[in-house]
Amino acid sequence: AERIERQRADENAKIGIESLEKIYLALEKRLPSDPFLTSEDRELLVQLLDFYERFADKNSFDPAEQKQKAHAFWRVSQIQDRLGNFTEAKDACDRSIAILKEVSPRDIACLTAMARSFHSLGNMFLTVHRIEEAKEAQREVTTILDNMEKECRDQPDHRQARTSNYLNQVRILIIESDIRGIPLDLEQAKTICDLEVKLLVELVNEYPEQIKY
């Protein structure tokens, strides 16, 4: 009976987070790419934020629900970042990472989610020009992807995560050069860009129907 109840709770949690995801992704598609939101868009994001926060604050020690909780915190961080709330966004991202480390640090799904959260964290730090912290987050992503390489090297999502990580490395070089007034290491930037382009060309050739590549 206990196992059945746990199974039912897992299914309910999955349905709950999937419903939120559908609403969020539909909204994200139509939101402008620039940071300036209309009052209506902000209101919708705040409403979604409330739902994700309530889901994230649920008390559960079940591993499956903990993974869903970590995802909810990651979404909270994304929404808070979109709303311009850096501190709240960073705190939510930190909580997502902490949960994933505790749940199953060697599980591929957890590692993938953790890399995604560190990637988001690095972008947040870049936005506020906290370069050293952006570098540290980027190094975390690289380490996680390296640890997954043996099992995931042929998976398109893993390879795309690599391209995004290469792009962030170049962004860090450019922004650091700009704010510190130091020459940009063009050779290093070109080497990283070449790696990114090579992977993207491979993905486009192998998956031409995927517009995102």
Side-chain angles (χ1 to χ4, degrees), residues 12-143:
N12 288 340
K14 187 178 180 183
I15 291 168
I17 201 74
E18 283 178 353
S19 298
L20 281 175
E21 285 293 283
K22 285 178 183 177
I23 299 168
Y24 176 82
L25 293 172
L27 175 62
E28 189 182 52
K29 277 184 180 179
R30 72 167 192 76
L31 285 178
S33 56
D34 60 62
F36 302 105
L37 300 170
T38 66
S39 57
E40 291 82 4
D41 289 334
R42 290 185 70 86
E43 186 178 342
L44 282 170
L45 282 173
V46 169
Q47 288 175 4
L48 270 175
L49 178 64
D50 179 58
F51 284 118
Y52 274 111
E53 283 180 332
R54 278 193 274 168
F55 191 96
D57 285 334
K58 285 172 60 179
N59 289 321
S60 171
F61 297 101
D62 179 79
E65 286 199 17
Q66 285 288 87
K67 289 178 188 178
Q68 299 289 348
K69 185 172 179 173
H71 183 83
F73 271 120
W74 176 64
R75 277 292 186 222
V76 167
S77 77
Q78 286 195 306
I79 296 172
Q80 290 284 21
D81 186 45
R82 193 68 195 265
L83 292 170
N85 303 326
F86 170 79
T87 301
E88 291 83 355
K90 177 188 173 299
D91 288 347
C93 215
D94 285 340
R95 291 186 72 178
S96 174
I97 292 166
I99 291 169
L100 290 166
K101 283 182 176 180
E102 190 175 322
V103 174
S104 183
R106 295 183 182 179
D107 177 75
I108 291 297
C110 281
L111 286 171
T112 301
M114 207 183 304
R116 183 179 57 200
S117 291
F118 273 117
H119 181 81
S120 296
L121 195 59
N123 282 335
M124 290 177 214
F125 283 132
L126 270 183
T127 301
V128 295
H129 292 176
R130 287 165 60 167
I131 297 297
E132 292 309 315
E133 288 157 299
K135 285 181 179 179
E136 180 57 35
Q138 186 273 317
R139 282 193 290 268
E140 291 282 0
V141 177
T142 300
T143 299

